[in-house]
Amino acid sequence: MNSLMLVDDEENVLKALRRMLECSKELDTLDLECFSDPRKAIARLAEAPFDVVISDFRMPGTDGVAVLTEALA
């Protein structure tokens, strides 16, 4: 199963992206995890690898670069 992480501090953006991905029939086997707190996303990345990480750039507490850096670690 493919895994995808979405990270965005704006709940409306996160919900819209999730709906769009969940409606796609081609992505039925996708393991999707969403985070509005980038620190929680970074903690999750320390626990499990993800095939794809899509992150907002500007977020409070940290930024998308830190999230993606952790994803590559």
Side-chain angles (χ1 to χ4, degrees), residues 9-58:
D9 62 310
E10 294 184 39
E11 287 287 338
N12 291 334
V13 172
L14 198 58
K15 287 178 184 177
L17 288 169
R18 178 181 213 133
R19 274 193 313 269
M20 185 174 63
L21 289 167
E22 287 176 342
C23 288
S24 176
K25 296 235 185 244
E26 292 81 24
L27 300 176
D28 283 343
T29 61
L30 183 66
D31 180 21
L32 177 61
E33 293 189 38
C34 300
F35 295 87
S36 58
D37 183 338
R39 293 169 299 225
K40 289 182 180 178
I42 290 171
R44 179 68 177 127
L45 285 165
E47 298 172 357
F50 284 79
D51 296 312
V52 178
V53 176
I54 299 174
S55 178
D56 186 12
F57 179 70
R58 285 187 277 174

